């Protein structure tokens, strides 16, 4: 049984030189058969396993991860959490996630450091402001917090921002979601891993799925680098690698995997207390609890599975940050990296059944799925357990690409992170 | 009808370069100036097609340049743009005549000429650091740009075509609406160097300079300041 | 950042001069009206998104404006070559058969 | 004060040039050639910061980019820079620096007090706590955590200095100007290759600057270095950039390098005409990585006390900067090389005890040398624990087991004011690994290294391959460079330089010096100083199942700091390997990522800043607009006049005036920004039929038509009027923001799908200036300017165009209207644009002609119900949704783009959102654009939203407000009352036709 985490447990174990801490999760042997296999040990996959066990009593579950747990996009994202999406379908899904975030540390007994410091989306043109107005009104009518800020109000919250009228992209206003914020990305993966493991889920690292075992249009199991594993239900939650897995099952998906880059500055004393995002200037930034500015760059246009992109993209982002925050010009970049984001044509996820019976996909989160992690796992677990979607993900089925019922969050939602 | 007196304005008119122009001298590390109000004709047609090539030559007196090159003829300078596009830089006064000549020469061919004279302008860039300045602005290997070559590439966040007619300098053909930005950028990247808006060399037989219409070079006519 | 060879300009240039133009050789249904919603959806949205050697289109937007194909490895980022659309098609078809 | 200045023949400081500087407000003195670190040490400064987590006192530990502790704030105000490593700051006169840590002060630090509880703050402790007692408490905890974290302070003023970029294309780029890099560059230069060498330091030489006794080809190494530099200087094809760090290596050998052009100069004497820093972007056919190696310390108890350093640092401060780091020095090593440091310090007058962890010690000759210099040797010992709190006072030794890394017995307790250690060298493999390269563990070098043979396009030379002896490093460099030259088809000119051959004893395989206690029981032994990661922490991470080295990194923050683990990574990997019971090679490394050392944001941005951040595009009439007081709106990259306020007019007053003047008399607008594409060829018509939703087969020359462009998904993507010039020739216009997109769209469809169609597209956006003369008096205005076009209503109809002259200038005049008024658009060569505008203004004077901008344009078109793509559409609207079914030629033979999508099940739904007009019940209320629409007045969330307001204005002409909206099933809801909600305010409104003015079109046909 894993330790319960608390201030007192730290004292207790501290007195014992921390020799008494249990593993955060078990390292089980891969079994030949499970009720459900989850492919992909990122935040979404781990959350799915957790909620399968917790809410649906499905405990004979394996999460197969080709690398280390939480090492995909979960390890690489700029950790922005918000729910102020435009369309009802996405707004409800992301708000569901946000509500889960609000109790997640307690739920998992793992501090995911969810910090509701507010997220600001800047408007720089008249059209930006119309879009902001539209989105904030839609949010409020959907029960999601949101206000529109004037440049003066923005300045009060973010003193270092240049809101003067003379810039190339003057700040005309912003939408602001106070309940939005950031969370500690790694902690989310580990928290769910620990929670899932404790409920009996087997977490198998260094186990790459290399093929699908399908008979009569039904999934039977998967081939992996550690041998074949059987299950009647398989959930694929592999973000940028989803297409590769879909191909193994003969399923076509409307996804493209692109590099998305980010970088951090050196660690500094607190100087930015909110998350600031700008679509027109194209940069977004927050400051982590450790003090570094966490900055997201633009997406690279080409397909890329290399977890790295082109340097001019980073350069443009640095320029954008300086445009917004001229004094950050003398701040220094410490490290840059990239992830592989699976982008769907309407910038919305695909969550649901596939043409292969028992095989489910949860993908297409693209540049913005971290914020959905608990909600995504929650509804996907429901989908797998019931072989039917949860009402919140029904609209996100694959068939929308033939009916034409896209949920286009592109322009309207601003930078989709 | 009143007696209209049309005037032309170059894209860089608002910088009033004529007022800034000083004589060229060798202490200037970068010299720049505008060759205002030239004629620009986009020639569209499969260049590999011998009939089209012959038609182009007949109008321009220049042979069709190979990819990445330009050629010169009576009509001016003929720049390769793509396998089915050339840009003729010519005298503004000869525009109508050239366009008509193309129309005639292209009769029966799938080829045509499009006047783009309002849309482009030309800068001369010279001096010992002129290549360095280009290297500040763009990713292209400008050191490798040899005499006779022309390249369309990015300069900052705008496009431009760079032609090397001689060792000492290059000419930049840029779009009207980006001219303002590119001039600001050029001035910015020239900060470390001794820069001058320098008088253009005497045209003589220079294939581009001789296209300049002396009459338009007079600043007072051009720069209707606002 | 890639250097790409534009077969039309016959020159190798920096990525900034080009725009990515997606998967190559997606065939538009000859008779769209006869395609089912699913077939049309497939053409519109479904993509190979290959991890590995991939045929893709780039447009030389700052140069000759021509679209051409590049065979690039999407994981190692190696580039095997680039061809005009017409030339590339033969290679592409041969590989697709294999 | 333990450290002191000495004179060394090898020193690179100029003792004739003293420099004054301040540290934490205290006046100090150093010399030209010093770094801030060497000067601080010489001034007796030991305590320089407090550690991140425990607030432990910290001092300078390294001498270059590896430094984890000495993060300082340089200068104040606009020139301030946070987090610089004192070891990399060149001293200049007047420099002022402060510590970045310590609260309330460096010497009395609250975190330091908290550090007393360090044992309860293992890695990841914050994941385990701060979750109660109530949820709401976390923000408070977080505030405290944030306050305690972070080093320097972000500048708050705009940067007074500037940056630029410079692109290079070279045959060979050599990274690193140590002996090996210099030799590689020499050979490349001699072979005639265009060669660039970069080195991060102010002087080339690398380790040779520190190693006073090294010899190459029989002469002092620095003499050889200077000969090389002189030779390189003399070769026209070689460039050497100092103070230039290659910080990233990308695809196809694109290397980014940052040159510090002026940071070493006093602020007052910096040249404002030169950049502060320059970003070099180097495309190299071949890269030679000769980045050398960095010495790592050993890991032992309290190894973080101020006064503890690497042996290389001690040697460097002495030989290069003329600073002896202590009078009473302990030096612990597991290898021979560190004996040189001990010898040199002893020679310089320090009392040195050399603690060799090996029972037999170094090769005889080294032991002799050391002894001769006065070094006291202790073989087979290790330091268990350092004594002292804010400064080293001594150390407790243990006797080591010669075979296993365990303690055999107690050792003496020695006093000391400085403790150095050498845990061997770590190759600087970073750049090799930035794009997929992986280093491998070379057991005999005890380092992750890169392969001797490099890889495609990259050669590796010198210490980076794990060659610690100069002679073998040079030999390997010579071989690798010759191989590279052969690849270029060039030959090698010159023989391999010879370093002295030494006998060397085997190194002891040791990372963590044992203290005889179980890990976690003794004094903290630090691995990563910046992030307070101890050896015990790594064991704990593994115990808690964070077993992947990436998990170890992320759980403990090993290598996360601004030094990116240059000192700590290999020790960390080795300790993790031990905890995991695996060989180091199986543990592997974490991923090396740019930047090698931190890079200024300003340098990354270069000149993409302020007025050149993004192009501002202007039309030929810009001066006219400015003269008339226009305010501007950004549309894409264009600057368009927004409205022309007179006197103290508000926007609404100005717009009312502009609208009325236009509807009642005549207005004029600059429409030059619309995209224009010349479409020509025998198949032009067919092409238009395919690309537009409406039909083009029957449009005659002289006529214009409005066209809608759909994407393949059936959604409206652009619109505009296209004129037929000749049967095979069209003049297409696009939206202002869509011009480039549409041109590429046309090209792509033509080239990829229909290459058989004979048609070509030429952008003429910039060629044409377009002056729109709008209003009932527009004909009268034009008549004054134009004699060769019959402007009569019968002969020049709405949607006709004519060629002629306007004010003496050749023009194409289009009778089209985006306002519903009689209107003409005069297109001329843009060089005449300003002239024509002014002529129109003069001719219109008698009618009170009024220039107007985009805002009035929007009102006028909304009064007519004309859409703006991007405002009334959002990528989810079909032509039918916009009530523009008339613009869809369903009968065209070719299935135009987007057609098939229009018949999908979702797209044919009747309850889709459709464009409607709205009249508020209160005519004075102008609805908010972006307001949401409800069917009932109940706005309780979640409220069922029916659509939203896309355009909304006060119409001065109608004397009331009008709005356009998209509404679910709107086409069937005319007359309904809906409730429009924005930011808590609700207004009832009636659904009406979206054509508010002149439904019959009388005015535009006038
Ligand atoms: C730079 C960057 C910034 C971002 N910023 C934000 C942001 O600010 N806010 C936000 O909400 N979102 C953001 N995102 C998006 C977010 O990171 C992702 O949407 C989210 O993390 C996806 O989680 P996941 O669990 O689905 O995927 P991942 O974490 O990528 O997990 C998928 C896992 O599947 C594994 N896998 C793949 N193939 C196989 C196989 N064959 N066998 C076994 N395992 C396999 C992978 O190794 C991986 O661990 C950002 C992304 C990036 C790259
Ligand atoms: N004892 C020591 O601490 C030590 C350290 C390094 C080298 N050495 C010895 O010195 C001899 C010569 O070695 P070498 O020439 O291979 O290495 P070197 O360390 O002497 O030189 C490498 C140079 O490259 C510079 N550099 C590193 N990364 C860079 C980057 N990204 N951009 C720009 N410059 C960068 C370094 O500042 C240094 O000047 C070898 O015998 C080696 O073992 C000893
Ligand atoms: C929110 C966030 C903050 C980060 N902060 C740091 C940091 O302070 N220092 C650092 O070295 N890396 C930091 N990283 C980057 C990681 O070191 C690493 O580069 C990233 O997780 C991608 O993994 P990879 O580089 O191992 O491929 C951060 C990453 C994220 C997502
Ligand atoms: Zn090209």
């Amino acid at each position: 049984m894993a330790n319960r985490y608390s201030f007192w447990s730290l004292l207790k174990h501290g007195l014992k030189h921390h020799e008494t801490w249990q593993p955060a999760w078990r390292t089980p042997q891969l079994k030949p058969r499970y009720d459900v296999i989850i492919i992909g040990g990122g935040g979404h996959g781990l959350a799915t396993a957790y909620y399968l066990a917790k809410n649906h009593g499905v405990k004979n579950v394996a999460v197969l991860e080709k690398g280390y747990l939480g090492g995909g996009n979960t390890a690489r994202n700029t950790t922005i959490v918000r729910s102020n999406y435009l369309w009802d379908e996405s707004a409800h899904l992301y708000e569901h996630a946000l509500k889960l975030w609000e109790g997640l540390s307690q739920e998992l007994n793992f501090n995911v450091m969810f910090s509701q410091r507010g997220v600001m989306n800047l408007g720089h043109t008249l059209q930006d402001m119309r879009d902001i107005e539209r989105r904030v009104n839609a949010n409020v009518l959907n029960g999601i917090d949101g206000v529109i800020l004037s440049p003066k109000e923005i300045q009060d919250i973010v003193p270092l921002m240049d809101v003067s009228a003379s810039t190339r992209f003057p700040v005309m206003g912003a939408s602001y979601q106070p309940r939005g914020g950031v969370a500690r990305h790694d902690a989310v993966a580990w928290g769910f891993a620990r929670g899932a493991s404790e409920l009996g889920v087997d977490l198998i690292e260094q186990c790459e799925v290399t093929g699908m075992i399908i008979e009569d249009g039904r999934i039977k199991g998967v081939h992996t680098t550690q041998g074949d594993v059987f299950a009647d239900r398989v959930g694929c939650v592999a973000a940028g690698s989803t297409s590769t897995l879909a191909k193994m099952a003969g399923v076509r998906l409307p996804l493209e995997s692109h590099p998305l880059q980010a970088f951090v500055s050196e660690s500094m004393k607190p100087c930015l207390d909110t998350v600031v995002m700008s679509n027109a200037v194209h940069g977004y930034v927050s400051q982590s609890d450790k003090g570094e500015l966490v900055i997201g760059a633009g997406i690279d246009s080409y397909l890329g599975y290399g977890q790295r992109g082109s340097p001019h993209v980073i350069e443009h982002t640095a320029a954008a940050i300086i445009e917004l925050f001229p004094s950050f010009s003398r701040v220094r970049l410490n490290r840059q990296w990239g992830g592989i984001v699976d982008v769907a044509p309407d910038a919305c996820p695909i969550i649901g059944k596939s043409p292969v019976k028992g095989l489910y996909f949860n993908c297409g989160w693209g540049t913005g799925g971290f914020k959905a992690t608990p909600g995504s796992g929650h509804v996907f677990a429901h989908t797998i357990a019931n072989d039917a979607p949860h009402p919140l993900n029904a609209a996100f089925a694959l068939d929308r690409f033939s009916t034409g019922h896209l949920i286009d969050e592109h322009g309207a939602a601003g930078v989709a992170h | 009808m009143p007696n209209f007196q049309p005037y032309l304005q170059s894209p860089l008119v608002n910088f009033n370069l004529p007022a800034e122009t000083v004589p060229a001298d060798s202490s200037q590390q970068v010299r720049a100036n505008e060759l205002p109000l030239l004629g620009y004709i986009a020639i569209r047609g499969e260049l590999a097609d011998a009939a089209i090539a012959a038609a182009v030559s007949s109008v321009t007196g220049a042979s069709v340049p190979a990819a990445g090159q330009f050629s010169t003829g009576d009509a001016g300078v003929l720049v390769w743009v793509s396998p089915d596009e050339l840009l003729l830089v010519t005298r503004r006064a000869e525009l109508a005549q050239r366009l008509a000549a193309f129309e005639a020469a292209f009769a029966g061919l799938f080829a045509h000429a499009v006047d783009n004279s309002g849309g482009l302008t030309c800068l001369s860039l010279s001096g010992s650091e002129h290549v360095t300045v280009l290297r500040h602005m763009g990713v292209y290997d400008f050191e490798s740009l040899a005499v006779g070559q022309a390249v369309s590439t990015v300069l900052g966040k705008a496009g431009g075509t760079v032609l090397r007619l001689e060792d000492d300098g290059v000419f930049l053909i840029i779009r009207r609406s980006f001219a303002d930005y590119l001039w600001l950028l050029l001035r910015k990247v020239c900060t470390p160097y001794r820069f001058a808006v320098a008088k253009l060399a005497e045209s003589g037989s220079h294939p581009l300079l001789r296209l300049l219409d002396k009459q338009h070079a007079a600043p007072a006519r051009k720069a209707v300041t606002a | 950042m890639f250097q790409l060879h534009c077969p039309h300009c016959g020159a190798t240039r920096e990525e900034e001069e080009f725009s990515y133009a997606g998967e190559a050789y997606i065939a538009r249904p000859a008779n769209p009206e006869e395609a089912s919603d699913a077939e049309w959806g497939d053409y519109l949205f479904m993509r190979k998104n290959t991890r590995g050697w991939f045929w893709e289109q780039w447009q030389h937007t700052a140069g000759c404006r021509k679209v051409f194909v590049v065979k690039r490895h999407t994981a190692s980022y190696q580039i095997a070559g680039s061809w005009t659309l017409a030339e590339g098609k033969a290679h592409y078809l041969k590989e697709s058969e294999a | 004060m333990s450290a002191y200045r000495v004179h060394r023949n090898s020193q690179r400081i100029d003792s004739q040039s003293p420099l004054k500087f301040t540290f934490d407000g205290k006046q100090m003195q150093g010399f030209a050639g010093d770094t801030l670190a060497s000067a601080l040490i010489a001034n007796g400064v030991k305590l320089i910061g407090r550690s991140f987590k425990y607030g432990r006192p910290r001092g300078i530990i390294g001498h270059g980019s590896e430094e984890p502790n000495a993060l300082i704030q340089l200068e104040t105000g606009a020139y301030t820079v946070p987090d610089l490593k004192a070891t990399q700051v060149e001293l200049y006169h007047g420099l002022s620096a402060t510590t970045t840590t310590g609260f309330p002060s460096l010497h009395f630090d609250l975190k330091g007090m908290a550090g007393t509880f360090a044992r309860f703050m293992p890695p990841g402790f914050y994941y385990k706590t701060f979750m109660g007692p109530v949820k709401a408490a976390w923000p408070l905890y977080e505030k405290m955590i944030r306050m305690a974290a972070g080093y320097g302070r972000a500048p708050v003023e705009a940067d007074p200095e500037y940056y630029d970029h410079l692109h290079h294309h070279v045959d060979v780029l050599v990274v690193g100007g140590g002996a090996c890099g210099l030799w590689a560059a020499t050979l490349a230069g001699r072979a005639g290759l265009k060669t660039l060498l970069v080195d991060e330091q102010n002087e080339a030489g690398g380790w040779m600057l520190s190693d006073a006794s090294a010899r190459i080809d029989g002469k002092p190494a620095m003499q050889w270095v200077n000969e090389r530099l002189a030779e390189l200087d003399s070769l026209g094809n070689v460039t050497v950039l100092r103070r230039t760090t290659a910080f990233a290596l990308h695809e196809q050998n694109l290397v980014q390098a940052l040159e510090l052009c002026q940071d070493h100069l006093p602020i007052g004497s910096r040249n404002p005409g030169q950049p502060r820093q320059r970003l070099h972007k180097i495309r190299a056919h071949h890269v030679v990585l000769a980045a050398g190696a960095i010495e790592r310390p050993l890991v032992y108890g309290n190894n973080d006390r101020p006064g503890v350093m690497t042996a290389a640092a001690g040697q460097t401060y002495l030989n290069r900067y003329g600073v002896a780091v202590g009078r009473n020095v302990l030096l612990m090593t597991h290898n021979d090389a560190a004996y040189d440091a001990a010898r040199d310090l002893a020679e310089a007058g320090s009392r040195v005890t050399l603690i060799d962890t090996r029972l037999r010690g170094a090769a005889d000759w080294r032991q002799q040398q050391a002894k001769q210099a006065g070094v006291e040797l202790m073989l087979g010992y290790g330091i268990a624990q350092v004594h002292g709190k804010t400064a080293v006072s001594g150390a407790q030794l243990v006797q080591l087991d010669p075979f296993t890394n365990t303690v055999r017995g107690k050792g003496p307790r020695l006093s000391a004011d400085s403790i150095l250690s050498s845990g061997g060298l770590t190759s600087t493999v970073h750049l090799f690994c930035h794009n997929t390269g992986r280093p491998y563990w070379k057991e005999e070098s005890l380092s992750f290294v890169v392969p001797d043979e490099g890889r495609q396009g990259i050669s590796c030379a010198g210490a980076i391959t794990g060659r610690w002896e100069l002679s073998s490093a040079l030999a390997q460099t010579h071989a690798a460079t010759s191989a590279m030259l052969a690849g270029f088809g060039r030959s090698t000119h010159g023989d391999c330089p010879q370093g002295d051959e030494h006998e060397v004893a085997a190194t002891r395989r040791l990372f963590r010096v044992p203290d005889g206690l179980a890990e976690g029981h003794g004094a903290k032994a630090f691995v990563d100083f910046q992030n307070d990661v101890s050896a015990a922490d790594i064991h704990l991470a593994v115990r808690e199942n964070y077993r992947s080295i990436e998990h170890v990194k992320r759980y403990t923050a090993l290598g996360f700091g601004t030094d990116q683990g240059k000192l700590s990574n290999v020790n960390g990997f080795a300790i993790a390997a031990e905890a995991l019971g695996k060989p180091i090679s199986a543990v592997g490394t974490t991923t090396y990522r740019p930047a090698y050392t931190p890079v200024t944001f300003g340098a990354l941005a270069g000149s993409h800043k302020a007025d050149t951040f993004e192009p501002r595009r202007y039309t030929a009439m810009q001066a006219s607009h400015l003269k008339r007081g226009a305010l501007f709106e950004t549309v894409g990259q264009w600057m368009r006049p927004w409205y022309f306020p007179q006197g103290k007019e508000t926007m609404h007053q100005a717009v009312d005036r502009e609208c009325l003047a236009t509807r009642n008399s005549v207005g004029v607008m600059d429409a030059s920004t619309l995209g224009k594409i010349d479409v020509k060829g025998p198949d032009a018509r067919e092409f238009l039929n395919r690309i537009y939703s409406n039909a083009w087969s029957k449009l005659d020359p002289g006529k214009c038509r409005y066209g809608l462009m759909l994407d393949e998904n059936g959604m409206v993507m652009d619109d505009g009027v296209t004129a037929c010039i000749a049967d095979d020739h069209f003049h297409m216009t696009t939206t202002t923001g869509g011009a480039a997109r549409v041109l590429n769209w046309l090209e792509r469809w033509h080239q990829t799908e229909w290459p058989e169609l004979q048609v070509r597209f030429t952008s003429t956006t910039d060629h044409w200036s377009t002056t729109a003369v709008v209003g009932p008096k527009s004909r009268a205005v034009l008549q004054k300017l134009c004699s060769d076009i019959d402007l009569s209503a019968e002969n020049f109809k709405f949607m006709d165009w004519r060629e002629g002259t306007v004010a003496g200038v050749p023009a194409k005049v289009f009778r089209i209207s985006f306002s519903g008024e009689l209107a003409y658009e005069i297109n001329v060569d843009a060089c005449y644009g300003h002239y024509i505008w002014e002529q129109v203004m003069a001719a219109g004077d008698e009618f009170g002609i009024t220039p107007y901008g985009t805002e009035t344009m929007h009102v006028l078109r909304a009064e007519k119900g004309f859409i703006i793509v991007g405002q009334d559409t959002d990528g989810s609207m079909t032509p039918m949704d916009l009530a523009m079914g008339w613009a869809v030629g369903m009968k065209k033979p070719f299935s135009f783009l987007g057609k098939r999508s229009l018949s999908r099940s979702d797209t044919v739904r009747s309850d889709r959102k459709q464009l409607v007009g709205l009249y508020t019940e209160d005519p004075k209320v102008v609805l908010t654009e972006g307001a949401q629409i409800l069917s009932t007045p109940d706005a309780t969330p979640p409220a069922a939203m029916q659509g939203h307001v896309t355009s909304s204005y006060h119409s001065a002409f109608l004397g009331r407000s009008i709005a356009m909206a998209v509404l679910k099933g709107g086409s069937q809801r005319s007359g309904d009352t809906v409730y429009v909600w924005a930011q808590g305010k609700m207004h009832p409104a009636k659904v009406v036709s979206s054509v508010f003015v002149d439904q019959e079109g009388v005015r535009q046909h006038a």
Side-chain angles (χ1 to χ4, degrees), chain A residues 39-45 64-67 71-74 76-80 207-209 237-239 241 245 260-262 284 339 341 365-371 417:
Chain A
I39 308 173
H44 289 227
L64 308 183
E65 166 54 52
K66 72 172 173 184
N73 289 342
T74 302
R76 292 151 207 285
N77 74 91
T78 46
T79 79
I80 299 171
C207 178
E208 179 170 356
V209 171
V237 207
S241 302
L245 285 154
L260 181 69
Q261 304 181 74
Y284 54 101
V341 294
W365 292 97
T367 60
F370 175 70
K371 63 176 71 64
H417 302 292

Side-chain angles (χ1 to χ4, degrees), chain A residues 111-375:
Chain A
N111 190 351
V112 298
M113 306 177 84
F114 178 47
S115 167
Q116 292 181 285
R117 54 179 70 177
V119 175
M120 214 182 256
N121 292 78
L122 302 177
H124 302 271
T125 63
L126 295 171
Q127 188 56 41
D128 283 355
M129 292 314 297
R130 286 182 201 111
D131 291 339
I132 282 174
E133 184 76 44
R134 177 184 176 194
R135 181 162 44 80
V136 169
N137 288 326
N139 292 155
V140 175
L141 288 173
N142 266 324
I144 295 167
D145 61 322
V147 288
I148 299 176
L149 302 180
S150 68
K152 166 84 182 54
E153 292 166 315
I154 295 171
Q155 184 85 87
D156 288 346
I157 301 176
V158 191
L160 291 182
M161 197 193 300
D162 183 356
V163 299
S164 64
S166 59
T167 57
R168 177 64 181 80
F169 292 101
V171 174
M172 301 180 81
S175 73
Y176 185 58
Q177 184 180 23
R179 283 164 64 240
V182 290
R184 182 79 201 147
H185 55 285
D186 289 328
V188 176
W190 301 337
F192 274 118
R194 175 167 164 269
S197 173
E198 204 167 319
L199 292 168
V201 172
D202 283 359
L203 308 176
I204 315 289
E205 297 183 86
Q206 305 299 333
C207 178
E208 179 170 356
V209 171
T210 53
M212 305 261 180
I213 306 169
I214 297 170
E215 282 167 24
D216 303 330
R218 275 209 135 273
I219 192 86
K220 291 289 169 194
V222 295
H223 304 297
T224 81
T225 46
Q226 297 190 16
D228 291 355
V229 199
F230 294 90
D232 291 336
R233 296 187 185 193
V234 174
C236 178
V237 207
S241 302
T242 304
S243 294
T244 314
L245 285 154
K247 195 177 289 171
M248 296 173 194
V251 174
R252 299 247 295 157
L253 290 176
L255 294 178
E256 293 204 325
S257 294
H258 292 271
L260 181 69
Q261 304 181 74
F263 58 94
V264 288
S265 73
E266 297 177 282
S267 169
M268 297 178 295
K269 289 274 173 262
C271 61
L272 176 63
D273 297 333
T274 358
V275 183
V276 175
M277 314 176 69
S278 163
N279 205 6
V281 174
H282 212 105
Y284 54 101
V285 54
S286 65
Q287 188 178 23
S288 83
D289 285 347
K290 264 182 70 239
E292 71 273 11
L293 297 175
V294 179
I295 295 172
I299 191 165
D300 281 81
S301 60
Y302 47 82
L303 301 193
Y305 289 88
Q307 294 189 333
R308 60 191 195 286
S310 295
H312 62 263
V313 176
I314 299 274
E315 290 168 7
H316 289 175
T317 305
I321 296 302
I322 294 172
E323 181 69 7
L324 295 174
F325 297 91
S327 69
F328 288 168
S329 171
R330 294 171 87 84
V331 171
R332 302 193 300 171
L333 174 153
N334 188 32
R335 183 175 172 102
Q336 70 184 64
W337 65 91
I340 314 164
V341 294
D342 46 331
V343 180
D346 55 358
C348 276
I350 299 163
I351 318 170
K353 300 190 191 191
S354 79
V356 177
K357 284 203 186 59
L359 177 64
Y360 309 86
F361 284 93
N362 181 355
C363 55
W365 292 97
T367 60
F370 175 70
K371 63 176 71 64
T373 305

